[in-house]
Each structure stands twice: as C-alpha cells, then as structure tokens.
Coordinates of all heavy atoms in Angstrom, one line a residue:
M1 N -43.6 18.2 -38.3 CA -44.3 17.6 -39.4 C -43.6 18.1 -40.6 O -43.6 19.3 -40.8 CB -45.8 17.9 -39.2 CG -46.5 17.3 -40.4 SD -46.8 15.5 -40.3 CE -48.1 15.2 -41.5
I2 N -43.1 17.2 -41.4 CA -42.6 17.6 -42.8 C -43.8 17.9 -43.7 O -44.8 17.4 -43.9 CB -41.7 16.4 -43.3 CG1 -41.1 16.8 -44.6 CG2 -42.6 15.1 -43.4 CD1 -40.0 17.7 -44.5
A3 N -43.5 19.1 -44.6 CA -44.5 19.5 -45.5 C -44.4 18.9 -46.8 O -43.4 18.7 -47.3 CB -44.4 21.0 -45.6
R4 N -45.6 18.6 -47.4 CA -45.7 18.2 -48.8 C -45.3 19.4 -49.8 O -45.7 20.6 -49.4 CB -47.0 17.8 -49.1 CG -47.4 17.2 -50.4 CD -48.8 16.6 -50.5 NE -49.2 16.7 -51.9 CZ -50.2 17.3 -52.4 NH1 -51.0 18.1 -51.7 NH2 -50.5 17.2 -53.7
L5 N -44.5 19.2 -50.7 CA -44.1 20.3 -51.6 C -45.3 20.9 -52.3 O -46.2 20.1 -52.7 CB -43.0 19.9 -52.7 CG -41.8 19.4 -52.1 CD1 -40.7 19.1 -53.3 CD2 -41.0 20.4 -51.2
T6 N -45.4 22.2 -52.6 CA -46.4 22.8 -53.3 C -46.1 22.5 -54.8 O -45.0 21.9 -55.2 CB -46.3 24.3 -53.2 OG1 -45.0 24.8 -53.9 CG2 -46.4 24.8 -51.8
E7 N -47.1 22.7 -55.7 CA -46.9 22.4 -57.1 C -45.7 23.1 -57.7 O -45.0 22.5 -58.5 CB -48.1 22.9 -57.8 CG -48.6 21.9 -58.9 CD -50.1 22.3 -59.5 OE1 -50.9 22.1 -58.7 OE2 -50.1 22.7 -60.6
E8 N -45.5 24.4 -57.3 CA -44.3 25.1 -57.9 C -43.0 24.6 -57.3 O -42.1 24.4 -58.0 CB -44.6 26.6 -57.4 CG -43.5 27.5 -58.1 CD -43.7 29.0 -57.5 OE1 -44.7 29.3 -56.8 OE2 -42.8 29.9 -57.9
E9 N -43.0 24.2 -56.0 CA -41.8 23.6 -55.5 C -41.5 22.3 -56.0 O -40.3 21.9 -56.3 CB -42.0 23.4 -53.9 CG -42.0 24.6 -53.2 CD -42.4 24.5 -51.8 OE1 -43.2 23.6 -51.4 OE2 -42.0 25.3 -50.9
R10 N -42.5 21.5 -56.4 CA -42.4 20.1 -57.0 C -41.7 20.3 -58.4 O -40.8 19.6 -58.8 CB -43.8 19.5 -57.1 CG -43.6 18.0 -57.2 CD -44.9 17.3 -56.7 NE -46.1 17.8 -57.4 CZ -47.2 18.2 -56.8 NH1 -47.2 18.4 -55.6 NH2 -48.3 18.7 -57.5
A11 N -42.3 21.3 -59.3 CA -41.8 21.6 -60.5 C -40.3 22.0 -60.6 O -39.4 21.4 -61.3 CB -42.6 22.6 -61.2
L12 N -39.9 22.8 -59.5 CA -38.5 23.2 -59.4 C -37.6 22.0 -59.0 O -36.5 21.8 -59.5 CB -38.4 24.2 -58.3 CG -38.7 25.7 -58.8 CD1 -38.8 26.6 -57.6 CD2 -37.7 26.2 -59.8
A13 N -38.1 21.1 -58.1 CA -37.3 19.9 -57.6 C -37.2 19.1 -58.8 O -36.0 18.4 -59.0 CB -38.1 19.3 -56.4
L14 N -38.2 18.8 -59.5 CA -38.0 17.9 -60.6 C -37.1 18.2 -61.7 O -36.4 17.4 -62.4 CB -39.5 17.6 -61.2 CG -40.4 16.6 -60.4 CD1 -41.7 16.7 -60.8 CD2 -39.9 15.2 -60.5
A15 N -37.0 19.5 -62.0 CA -36.2 20.2 -62.9 C -34.8 19.8 -62.5 O -33.9 19.8 -63.5 CB -36.4 21.7 -63.1
D16 N -34.6 19.7 -61.3 CA -33.2 19.5 -60.8 C -32.9 18.0 -60.7 O -31.9 17.5 -60.2 CB -33.1 20.0 -59.3 CG -31.8 20.5 -58.9 OD1 -31.0 20.7 -59.9 OD2 -31.6 20.6 -57.8
L17 N -33.9 17.1 -61.0 CA -33.7 15.6 -60.8 C -34.1 15.0 -62.2 O -35.2 14.3 -62.3 CB -34.6 15.0 -59.7 CG -34.3 15.5 -58.3 CD1 -35.4 15.0 -57.3 CD2 -33.0 14.8 -57.8
P18 N -33.2 15.1 -63.2 CA -33.7 14.8 -64.6 C -33.9 13.2 -64.8 O -34.5 12.8 -65.7 CB -32.4 15.2 -65.5 CG -31.3 15.3 -64.5 CD -31.9 15.8 -63.2
H19 N -33.2 12.5 -63.9 CA -33.4 11.0 -64.1 C -34.7 10.5 -63.4 O -35.0 9.2 -63.4 CB -32.2 10.2 -63.6 CG -31.0 10.6 -64.2 ND1 -30.7 10.4 -65.6 CD2 -29.9 11.3 -63.7 CE1 -29.5 10.9 -65.8 NE2 -29.0 11.4 -64.8
W20 N -35.4 11.2 -62.7 CA -36.5 10.8 -61.9 C -37.9 11.2 -62.5 O -37.9 12.3 -63.1 CB -36.4 11.4 -60.4 CG -35.2 10.9 -59.7 CD1 -34.0 11.2 -59.7 CD2 -35.3 9.7 -58.7 NE1 -33.1 10.3 -58.9 CE2 -33.9 9.5 -58.2 CE3 -36.4 8.9 -58.2 CZ2 -33.7 8.5 -57.3 CZ3 -36.0 8.0 -57.2 CH2 -34.7 7.9 -56.8
T21 N -38.9 10.3 -62.4 CA -40.1 10.6 -63.0 C -41.2 10.7 -62.0 O -41.2 10.0 -61.0 CB -40.6 9.4 -63.9 OG1 -39.4 9.1 -64.8 CG2 -41.8 9.5 -64.7
P22 N -42.1 11.7 -62.1 CA -43.1 11.8 -61.1 C -44.2 10.7 -61.2 O -44.4 10.3 -62.3 CB -43.8 13.2 -61.5 CG -43.3 13.6 -62.9 CD -42.0 12.8 -63.1
V23 N -44.7 10.3 -60.0 CA -45.7 9.3 -60.0 C -46.8 9.7 -59.2 O -46.7 10.5 -58.2 CB -45.1 7.8 -59.6 CG1 -44.3 7.2 -60.5 CG2 -44.5 8.0 -58.2
D24 N -48.0 9.2 -59.5 CA -49.2 9.5 -58.5 C -49.4 8.2 -57.8 O -49.1 7.1 -58.2 CB -50.5 9.7 -59.4 CG -50.2 10.9 -60.3 OD1 -49.5 11.9 -59.9 OD2 -50.7 11.0 -61.4
E25 N -50.2 8.3 -56.6 CA -50.7 7.2 -55.9 C -49.6 6.2 -55.5 O -49.6 5.1 -56.0 CB -51.8 6.5 -56.7 CG -53.0 7.3 -57.1 CD -53.7 7.9 -56.0 OE1 -53.9 7.2 -55.0 OE2 -54.4 8.9 -56.2
P26 N -48.8 6.5 -54.6 CA -48.7 7.8 -53.8 C -48.0 8.8 -54.7 O -47.2 8.5 -55.5 CB -48.0 7.4 -52.6 CG -47.0 6.3 -53.1 CD -47.7 5.6 -54.1
E27 N -48.3 10.1 -54.5 CA -47.5 11.2 -55.1 C -46.0 11.0 -54.6 O -45.7 10.9 -53.4 CB -48.0 12.6 -54.6 CG -47.3 13.6 -55.2 CD -47.5 14.9 -54.6 OE1 -48.4 15.6 -54.9 OE2 -46.9 15.3 -53.5
G28 N -45.1 10.9 -55.7 CA -43.7 10.8 -55.4 C -42.9 10.8 -56.7 O -43.4 11.4 -57.7
I29 N -41.8 10.2 -56.6 CA -40.9 10.1 -57.8 C -40.3 8.8 -58.0 O -40.1 8.1 -56.9 CB -39.8 11.2 -57.8 CG1 -39.0 11.2 -56.4 CG2 -40.3 12.7 -58.0 CD1 -37.8 12.2 -56.3
C30 N -40.0 8.4 -59.1 CA -39.4 7.1 -59.3 C -38.2 7.0 -60.2 O -38.2 7.9 -61.1 CB -40.4 6.0 -59.7 SG -41.0 6.3 -61.3
R31 N -37.4 6.0 -60.1 CA -36.2 5.8 -61.0 C -35.9 4.4 -61.1 O -36.0 3.7 -60.0 CB -35.0 6.6 -60.5 CG -33.9 6.6 -61.6 CD -32.8 7.4 -61.2 NE -31.7 7.0 -62.2 CZ -30.4 7.4 -62.2 NH1 -30.0 8.3 -61.3 NH2 -29.5 7.0 -63.0
R32 N -35.6 3.9 -62.3 CA -35.0 2.6 -62.4 C -33.6 2.5 -62.5 O -32.9 3.3 -63.2 CB -35.7 1.8 -63.7 CG -35.0 0.5 -64.0 CD -36.0 -0.3 -65.0 NE -37.1 -0.7 -64.4 CZ -38.1 -1.4 -65.1 NH1 -37.9 -1.8 -66.3 NH2 -39.2 -1.8 -64.4
F33 N -32.8 1.6 -61.8 CA -31.4 1.4 -61.8 C -31.1 0.1 -62.4 O -31.7 -0.9 -61.9 CB -30.8 1.6 -60.5 CG -31.0 3.1 -59.9 CD1 -32.1 3.4 -59.2 CD2 -30.0 4.0 -60.1 CE1 -32.3 4.6 -58.7 CE2 -30.2 5.3 -59.6 CZ -31.3 5.6 -58.8
T34 N -30.1 -0.1 -63.3 CA -29.8 -1.4 -63.8 C -28.3 -1.5 -63.6 O -27.5 -0.6 -64.0 CB -30.2 -1.5 -65.3 OG1 -31.6 -1.1 -65.5 CG2 -29.9 -2.8 -65.8
F35 N -27.9 -2.7 -63.1 CA -26.5 -2.9 -62.8 C -26.0 -4.2 -63.6 O -26.8 -4.7 -64.3 CB -26.4 -3.2 -61.3 CG -26.7 -2.0 -60.5 CD1 -28.1 -1.7 -60.0 CD2 -25.9 -0.9 -60.2 CE1 -28.5 -0.7 -59.4 CE2 -26.2 0.2 -59.6 CZ -27.6 0.3 -59.1
T36 N -24.8 -4.4 -63.5 CA -24.1 -5.6 -64.2 C -24.8 -7.0 -63.7 O -25.0 -7.9 -64.6 CB -22.7 -5.7 -64.2 OG1 -22.3 -5.5 -62.7 CG2 -22.0 -4.5 -64.9
D37 N -25.0 -7.1 -62.5 CA -25.5 -8.4 -61.8 C -26.1 -8.0 -60.4 O -26.2 -6.9 -60.0 CB -24.3 -9.5 -61.8 CG -23.2 -8.8 -60.9 OD1 -23.3 -7.8 -60.1 OD2 -22.1 -9.2 -61.1
F38 N -26.5 -9.1 -59.9 CA -27.3 -9.0 -58.6 C -26.4 -8.5 -57.5 O -26.7 -7.6 -56.6 CB -27.8 -10.3 -58.1 CG -28.4 -10.3 -56.8 CD1 -29.7 -9.8 -56.6 CD2 -27.7 -10.7 -55.6 CE1 -30.3 -9.6 -55.4 CE2 -28.3 -10.8 -54.3 CZ -29.5 -10.2 -54.2
N39 N -25.0 -8.9 -57.6 CA -24.1 -8.4 -56.6 C -24.0 -6.8 -56.5 O -24.0 -6.2 -55.5 CB -22.7 -9.1 -56.9 CG -21.8 -8.9 -55.7 OD1 -22.2 -9.2 -54.6 ND2 -20.6 -8.5 -56.1
A40 N -23.9 -6.3 -57.7 CA -23.7 -4.9 -57.9 C -25.1 -4.1 -57.4 O -25.0 -3.1 -56.8 CB -23.5 -4.5 -59.3
A41 N -26.1 -4.8 -57.8 CA -27.5 -4.2 -57.3 C -27.7 -4.2 -55.9 O -28.1 -3.3 -55.2 CB -28.6 -4.9 -58.1
F42 N -27.3 -5.4 -55.4 CA -27.6 -5.5 -53.8 C -26.5 -4.6 -53.1 O -26.8 -4.1 -52.0 CB -27.4 -7.0 -53.4 CG -28.0 -7.2 -52.1 CD1 -29.4 -7.1 -51.9 CD2 -27.2 -7.3 -50.9 CE1 -29.9 -7.4 -50.6 CE2 -27.8 -7.6 -49.7 CZ -29.2 -7.6 -49.6
G43 N -25.4 -4.4 -53.7 CA -24.3 -3.5 -53.0 C -24.8 -2.1 -53.0 O -24.9 -1.3 -52.0
F44 N -25.5 -1.7 -54.2 CA -26.1 -0.3 -54.3 C -27.2 -0.3 -53.2 O -27.3 0.8 -52.5 CB -26.6 -0.2 -55.6 CG -27.6 0.9 -55.9 CD1 -27.3 2.2 -55.9 CD2 -29.0 0.6 -56.0 CE1 -28.2 3.2 -56.1 CE2 -29.9 1.7 -56.3 CZ -29.5 2.9 -56.2
M45 N -28.1 -1.4 -53.1 CA -29.2 -1.2 -52.1 C -28.7 -1.1 -50.7 O -29.3 -0.5 -49.9 CB -30.0 -2.5 -52.2 CG -30.8 -2.5 -53.6 SD -31.7 -3.9 -53.8 CE -33.0 -3.8 -52.8
T46 N -27.5 -1.9 -50.3 CA -27.0 -1.8 -49.1 C -26.6 -0.3 -48.7 O -26.8 0.2 -47.6 CB -25.8 -2.8 -48.9 OG1 -26.3 -4.0 -49.3 CG2 -25.3 -2.8 -47.6
R47 N -25.8 0.3 -49.7 CA -25.4 1.7 -49.5 C -26.7 2.6 -49.2 O -26.6 3.5 -48.5 CB -24.5 2.1 -50.6 CG -23.2 1.4 -50.6 CD -22.1 2.1 -51.5 NE -22.5 1.6 -53.0 CZ -22.1 0.5 -53.4 NH1 -21.3 -0.4 -52.7 NH2 -22.4 0.2 -54.6
V48 N -27.7 2.5 -50.1 CA -28.8 3.3 -49.9 C -29.5 3.0 -48.7 O -30.0 4.0 -48.0 CB -29.8 3.0 -51.2 CG1 -31.2 3.9 -50.9 CG2 -29.3 3.4 -52.5
A49 N -29.6 1.8 -48.3 CA -30.3 1.4 -47.0 C -29.6 2.1 -45.8 O -30.2 2.6 -44.9 CB -30.3 -0.1 -46.7
I50 N -28.3 2.1 -45.7 CA -27.4 2.8 -44.6 C -27.8 4.2 -44.6 O -28.1 4.9 -43.6 CB -26.0 2.5 -44.8 CG1 -25.8 1.0 -44.5 CG2 -25.2 3.4 -43.9 CD1 -24.5 0.5 -44.9
M51 N -27.8 4.9 -45.8 CA -28.0 6.4 -45.9 C -29.6 6.6 -45.5 O -29.7 7.6 -44.7 CB -27.9 6.9 -47.4 CG -26.6 7.0 -47.9 SD -26.6 7.7 -49.5 CE -28.1 7.5 -50.1
A52 N -30.5 5.8 -45.9 CA -31.8 6.0 -45.6 C -32.1 5.8 -44.0 O -32.8 6.7 -43.5 CB -32.7 5.0 -46.4
E53 N -31.4 4.8 -43.6 CA -31.7 4.7 -42.1 C -31.1 5.9 -41.2 O -31.7 6.3 -40.4 CB -31.1 3.3 -41.7 CG -31.2 2.9 -40.2 CD -32.7 2.8 -39.8 OE1 -33.6 2.7 -40.6 OE2 -33.0 2.7 -38.6
K54 N -29.9 6.4 -41.7 CA -29.3 7.4 -41.1 C -30.3 8.6 -41.1 O -30.3 9.5 -40.2 CB -27.9 7.9 -41.7 CG -26.8 7.2 -40.9 CD -25.4 7.8 -41.6 CE -24.4 6.8 -41.2 NZ -23.2 6.8 -42.0
A55 N -30.9 8.8 -42.3 CA -31.8 10.1 -42.4 C -33.1 9.7 -42.0 O -34.0 10.7 -42.1 CB -31.8 10.2 -44.0
D56 N -33.4 8.6 -41.5 CA -34.7 8.2 -41.1 C -35.9 8.5 -42.1 O -36.9 9.0 -41.9 CB -35.1 8.9 -39.7 CG -36.6 8.2 -39.2 OD1 -36.7 7.0 -39.4 OD2 -37.2 8.9 -38.5
H57 N -35.4 8.2 -43.5 CA -36.3 8.4 -44.5 C -36.1 7.2 -45.5 O -34.9 7.1 -46.0 CB -36.0 9.8 -45.2 CG -37.2 10.0 -46.2 ND1 -38.4 10.3 -45.7 CD2 -37.1 10.3 -47.4 CE1 -39.2 10.7 -46.7 NE2 -38.6 10.6 -47.8
H58 N -37.1 6.4 -45.8 CA -36.8 5.1 -46.5 C -37.5 5.0 -47.8 O -38.6 5.5 -47.9 CB -37.3 3.9 -45.5 CG -36.6 4.1 -44.2 ND1 -37.3 4.9 -43.1 CD2 -35.7 3.5 -43.7 CE1 -36.5 4.7 -42.2 NE2 -35.4 3.9 -42.4
P59 N -36.8 4.4 -48.7 CA -37.4 4.2 -50.1 C -38.3 3.1 -50.1 O -38.3 2.2 -49.3 CB -36.1 3.8 -50.9 CG -35.2 3.1 -50.0 CD -35.4 3.8 -48.6
E60 N -39.2 3.1 -51.1 CA -40.1 2.0 -51.5 C -39.3 1.4 -52.8 O -39.0 2.1 -53.6 CB -41.5 2.4 -51.8 CG -42.2 2.9 -50.8 CD -43.7 3.5 -51.0 OE1 -44.1 3.1 -52.2 OE2 -44.3 4.0 -50.2
W61 N -39.0 0.1 -52.7 CA -38.2 -0.4 -53.8 C -38.5 -1.9 -54.1 O -39.2 -2.6 -53.4 CB -36.7 -0.1 -53.6 CG -36.2 -0.7 -52.3 CD1 -36.7 -1.5 -51.3 CD2 -34.7 -0.3 -51.7 NE1 -35.9 -1.7 -50.3 CE2 -34.6 -1.1 -50.7 CE3 -33.7 0.4 -52.3 CZ2 -33.5 -0.8 -49.7 CZ3 -32.6 0.6 -51.5 CH2 -32.6 -0.1 -50.4
F62 N -38.0 -2.2 -55.3 CA -38.4 -3.6 -56.0 C -37.1 -4.0 -56.6 O -36.6 -3.2 -57.4 CB -39.6 -3.5 -56.8 CG -39.9 -4.8 -57.4 CD1 -40.6 -5.8 -56.6 CD2 -39.5 -5.1 -58.7 CE1 -40.9 -6.9 -57.2 CE2 -40.0 -6.3 -59.3 CZ -40.7 -7.3 -58.5
N63 N -36.5 -5.1 -56.3 CA -35.4 -5.6 -56.9 C -35.7 -7.0 -57.6 O -36.3 -7.9 -57.1 CB -34.3 -5.8 -55.9 CG -33.2 -6.8 -56.3 OD1 -32.8 -7.7 -55.6 ND2 -32.4 -6.4 -57.3
V64 N -35.2 -7.1 -58.9 CA -35.1 -8.4 -59.5 C -33.7 -8.4 -60.2 O -33.4 -7.6 -61.1 CB -36.2 -8.6 -60.7 CG1 -36.0 -9.9 -61.4 CG2 -37.6 -8.4 -60.2
Y65 N -32.9 -9.5 -59.7 CA -31.5 -9.6 -60.2 C -30.8 -8.3 -60.3 O -30.4 -7.8 -59.1 CB -31.6 -10.4 -61.6 CG -30.2 -10.7 -62.0 CD1 -29.3 -11.4 -61.3 CD2 -29.8 -10.3 -63.3 CE1 -28.0 -11.7 -61.8 CE2 -28.6 -10.6 -63.8 CZ -27.6 -11.2 -63.0 OH -26.4 -11.6 -63.5
N66 N -30.5 -7.8 -61.4 CA -29.7 -6.5 -61.6 C -30.3 -5.2 -61.6 O -29.9 -4.3 -61.9 CB -28.8 -6.7 -62.9 CG -29.7 -6.6 -64.1 OD1 -30.8 -7.0 -64.1 ND2 -29.1 -6.3 -65.4
R67 N -31.9 -5.4 -61.3 CA -32.6 -4.2 -61.6 C -33.2 -3.7 -60.2 O -33.6 -4.6 -59.4 CB -33.8 -4.5 -62.5 CG -34.4 -3.3 -63.1 CD -35.6 -3.8 -63.9 NE -36.8 -3.9 -63.2 CZ -37.7 -4.8 -63.4 NH1 -37.7 -5.7 -64.5 NH2 -38.9 -4.9 -62.7
V68 N -33.1 -2.4 -60.1 CA -33.7 -1.8 -58.7 C -34.8 -0.7 -59.0 O -34.2 0.2 -59.7 CB -32.7 -1.3 -57.8 CG1 -33.3 -0.9 -56.4 CG2 -31.6 -2.4 -57.5
D69 N -36.0 -0.8 -58.8 CA -36.9 0.3 -59.0 C -37.2 0.9 -57.7 O -37.5 0.3 -56.7 CB -38.2 -0.3 -59.6 CG -38.1 -0.9 -61.0 OD1 -37.2 -0.4 -61.7 OD2 -38.8 -1.8 -61.3
I70 N -36.9 2.2 -57.6 CA -37.2 3.0 -56.4 C -38.3 4.0 -56.6 O -38.3 4.7 -57.5 CB -35.8 3.7 -56.0 CG1 -34.7 2.7 -55.8 CG2 -36.0 4.5 -54.7 CD1 -33.4 3.2 -55.3
T71 N -39.0 4.0 -55.6 CA -40.1 5.1 -55.5 C -39.9 5.8 -54.2 O -39.7 5.2 -53.1 CB -41.6 4.7 -55.5 OG1 -41.8 3.9 -56.7 CG2 -42.6 5.7 -55.4
L72 N -39.9 7.3 -54.2 CA -39.6 8.0 -53.1 C -40.9 8.8 -52.8 O -41.4 9.4 -53.8 CB -38.5 8.9 -53.2 CG -37.0 8.2 -53.5 CD1 -36.0 9.2 -53.7 CD2 -36.8 7.3 -52.4
T73 N -41.4 8.7 -51.7 CA -42.6 9.5 -51.2 C -42.5 9.7 -49.7 O -41.8 8.9 -49.0 CB -44.0 8.8 -51.7 OG1 -45.0 9.6 -51.4 CG2 -44.1 7.5 -51.0
T74 N -43.2 10.6 -49.2 CA -43.1 10.9 -47.8 C -44.5 10.5 -47.1 O -45.5 11.3 -47.4 CB -42.8 12.3 -47.4 OG1 -41.5 12.5 -48.0 CG2 -42.6 12.6 -45.9
H75 N -44.5 9.4 -46.5 CA -45.8 8.9 -45.9 C -46.4 10.0 -44.9 O -47.6 10.3 -44.9 CB -45.7 7.6 -45.1 CG -44.9 6.6 -45.9 ND1 -43.7 6.0 -45.6 CD2 -45.1 6.2 -47.3 CE1 -43.3 5.2 -46.5 NE2 -44.1 5.3 -47.6
D76 N -45.5 10.6 -44.2 CA -45.9 11.6 -43.1 C -46.5 12.8 -43.7 O -47.0 13.6 -43.0 CB -44.7 11.9 -42.1 CG -44.2 10.8 -41.4 OD1 -44.8 9.7 -41.4 OD2 -43.0 10.8 -40.8
A77 N -46.1 13.1 -45.0 CA -46.6 14.3 -45.6 C -47.7 14.0 -46.6 O -48.3 15.0 -47.1 CB -45.5 15.1 -46.3
G78 N -47.9 12.8 -46.9 CA -48.9 12.4 -47.9 C -48.5 12.8 -49.3 O -49.4 13.2 -50.1
G79 N -47.3 12.8 -49.6 CA -46.9 13.2 -51.0 C -45.3 13.4 -51.0 O -44.6 12.9 -50.2
L80 N -44.9 14.2 -52.0 CA -43.5 14.4 -52.2 C -43.1 15.5 -51.3 O -43.7 16.7 -51.1 CB -43.2 14.9 -53.6 CG -41.9 14.9 -54.1 CD1 -41.2 13.6 -54.2 CD2 -41.7 15.8 -55.4
S81 N -41.9 15.3 -50.5 CA -41.4 16.4 -49.6 C -39.9 16.7 -50.0 O -39.3 15.8 -50.8 CB -41.6 16.0 -48.2 OG -40.6 15.0 -47.8
R82 N -39.3 17.5 -49.2 CA -37.9 17.9 -49.4 C -37.0 16.6 -49.1 O -36.0 16.5 -49.6 CB -37.7 19.1 -48.5 CG -36.2 19.5 -48.4 CD -35.4 19.8 -49.6 NE -36.1 20.7 -50.5 CZ -35.7 21.0 -51.7 NH1 -34.7 20.5 -52.2 NH2 -36.4 21.8 -52.5
R83 N -37.5 15.8 -48.2 CA -36.7 14.7 -47.8 C -36.6 13.7 -49.0 O -35.6 13.1 -49.2 CB -37.5 13.8 -46.6 CG -37.4 14.6 -45.4 CD -37.8 13.8 -44.2 NE -38.0 14.6 -43.0 CZ -38.9 14.5 -42.1 NH1 -39.6 13.4 -42.0 NH2 -38.9 15.3 -41.0
D84 N -37.6 13.6 -49.9 CA -37.5 12.7 -51.1 C -36.6 13.3 -52.0 O -35.6 12.5 -52.5 CB -38.9 12.6 -51.7 CG -39.8 12.0 -50.7 OD1 -39.6 11.0 -50.1 OD2 -40.9 12.7 -50.5
V85 N -36.5 14.7 -52.1 CA -35.6 15.3 -53.1 C -34.2 15.0 -52.6 O -33.3 14.8 -53.5 CB -36.0 16.8 -53.3 CG1 -34.9 17.5 -54.1 CG2 -37.4 17.0 -53.8
D86 N -34.0 15.3 -51.3 CA -32.6 15.0 -50.8 C -32.2 13.6 -50.9 O -31.0 13.5 -51.3 CB -32.6 15.5 -49.2 CG -32.8 17.0 -49.0 OD1 -32.6 17.7 -50.1 OD2 -33.1 17.4 -48.0
L87 N -33.0 12.7 -50.6 CA -32.6 11.3 -50.7 C -32.3 11.0 -52.2 O -31.5 10.1 -52.5 CB -33.8 10.4 -50.2 CG -33.4 8.8 -50.2 CD1 -32.0 8.6 -49.4 CD2 -34.5 8.0 -49.4
A88 N -33.3 11.4 -53.1 CA -33.0 11.2 -54.5 C -31.5 11.6 -54.9 O -30.9 10.9 -55.7 CB -34.0 11.8 -55.4
K89 N -31.1 12.9 -54.5 CA -29.8 13.4 -54.9 C -28.8 12.4 -54.3 O -27.7 12.2 -55.0 CB -29.7 14.7 -54.4 CG -30.6 15.7 -55.3 CD -30.4 17.2 -54.8 CE -31.3 18.1 -55.8 NZ -31.3 19.4 -55.2
A90 N -28.9 12.0 -53.1 CA -27.9 11.1 -52.5 C -27.9 9.7 -53.1 O -26.8 9.3 -53.4 CB -28.3 11.0 -50.9
I91 N -29.0 9.3 -53.6 CA -29.1 8.0 -54.4 C -28.3 8.1 -55.7 O -27.6 7.3 -56.2 CB -30.5 7.4 -54.5 CG1 -31.1 7.1 -53.2 CG2 -30.6 6.3 -55.5 CD1 -32.6 6.8 -53.2
D92 N -28.6 9.3 -56.4 CA -27.9 9.5 -57.7 C -26.5 9.5 -57.5 O -25.7 9.1 -58.4 CB -28.5 10.9 -58.2 CG -29.8 10.8 -58.9 OD1 -30.3 9.7 -59.1 OD2 -30.3 11.8 -59.1
A93 N -25.9 10.1 -56.4 CA -24.5 10.2 -56.1 C -23.9 8.7 -55.9 O -22.9 8.4 -56.4 CB -24.2 11.1 -54.9
V94 N -24.6 8.0 -55.1 CA -24.3 6.6 -54.8 C -24.2 5.7 -56.1 O -23.3 4.9 -56.4 CB -25.2 5.9 -53.9 CG1 -25.0 4.4 -53.8 CG2 -24.9 6.4 -52.4
A95 N -25.2 6.0 -57.0 CA -25.3 5.1 -58.3 C -24.1 5.6 -59.2 O -23.7 4.8 -60.0 CB -26.7 5.4 -58.9
G96 N -23.6 6.8 -59.2 CA -22.6 7.3 -59.9 C -23.0 7.7 -61.4 O -24.2 7.4 -61.8
Ligands
H2B1 C1 -41.2 7.2 -37.1 C2 -40.3 7.5 -38.3 O1 -39.4 8.6 -38.1 C3 -41.2 7.6 -39.5 O2 -42.3 6.7 -39.8 C4 -40.4 7.9 -40.8 C5 -39.6 6.7 -41.2 N1 -39.2 6.7 -42.7 C6 -40.1 7.3 -43.5 N2 -39.8 7.0 -44.9 C7 -40.6 7.7 -45.8 N3 -40.5 7.5 -47.0 N4 -41.7 8.6 -45.3 C8 -41.9 8.8 -44.1 O3 -42.8 9.4 -43.8 C9 -41.1 8.2 -43.2 N5 -41.3 8.4 -41.8

C-alpha cells in the first residue's frame, strides 16, 4: 500500500515542483500545459499515457484543443503520494 505524504513531505515535494499547484478534493497537484495546436497537445498526452501505463499510475486530465489540464493524486493513498511527485517530474521532462 502506497503512503500518503505527510504535511512536511508534501511541502518539500512542492518546493521541488515549482510549476505545480496543490489542490484539495482530491488532495493532489495540478498543472496546465498549453501547446501550439491539438496535434502537439495530443502527442504530449500520448507520451504521458505510455509513461503512466508503464508506472501503473495514471493522471486525471482534461483536454481542449491545445490545452491539457492535469491533476495528479493517488486514489490508493487517498491523497498525494511519492508516485504523483515522480510522475509530475517525468511529465515536466516530457513537456520540455
Ligand atoms: C490496480 C492498479 O494498480 C491501481 O488501481 C492503480 C492504477 N493507477 C492509479 N493511478 C492513480 N493516480 N492512483 C492510483 O491509486 C492508481 N492505482
């Protein structure tokens, strides 16, 4: 069972993820990505989907044309976990 981060661990993790914003309900982190067009946005989503499936950890996301809003939370932990932090870093690397 994956653990939900403590308040202290969450603060440390967020300091390391400057582009991500904490959210409540569910507890997690979110970031908006904007691309030149739908093709670029969907290419990004495809790369993230492959990574997420490999890690067995999946984003909650919403796409309209060139915009992708991502929320990361761990259902199994009932909040933010190390898996969300690792996926956020991998997503940041894919986004460039
Ligand atoms: C059975 C499977 O491993 C679990 O349901 C995984 C799948 N992907 C997941 N993704 C996310 N974001 N949180 C989870 O708790 C989670 N659990």
Side-chain angles (χ1 to χ4, degrees):
M1 179 73 165
I2 181 81
R4 182 173 162 247
L5 296 185
T6 64
E7 218 168 294
E8 193 182 347
E9 288 167 338
R10 202 160 54 242
L12 279 173
L14 280 164
D16 210 21
L17 293 169
H19 301 296
W20 294 79
T21 306
V23 289
D24 300 328
E25 304 297 330
E27 175 192 272
I29 50 176
C30 70
R31 182 176 173 185
R32 170 165 291 181
F33 295 87
T34 306
F35 299 91
T36 50
D37 54 21
F38 177 75
N39 195 44
F42 198 72
F44 164 75
M45 292 176 77
T46 304
R47 288 189 283 280
V48 171
I50 291 166
M51 280 182 349
E53 185 58 14
K54 267 190 196 151
D56 191 31
H57 195 64
H58 304 87
E60 296 180 10
W61 52 12
F62 180 76
N63 162 242
V64 177
Y65 184 52
N66 66 336
R67 199 181 89 210
V68 183
D69 292 331
I70 298 184
T71 299
L72 300 177
T73 184
T74 301
H75 313 125
D76 296 344
L80 191 72
S81 79
R82 173 55 50 191
R83 285 186 195 155
D84 301 306
V85 175
D86 292 345
L87 185 56
K89 287 182 180 168
I91 290 172
D92 283 347
V94 164

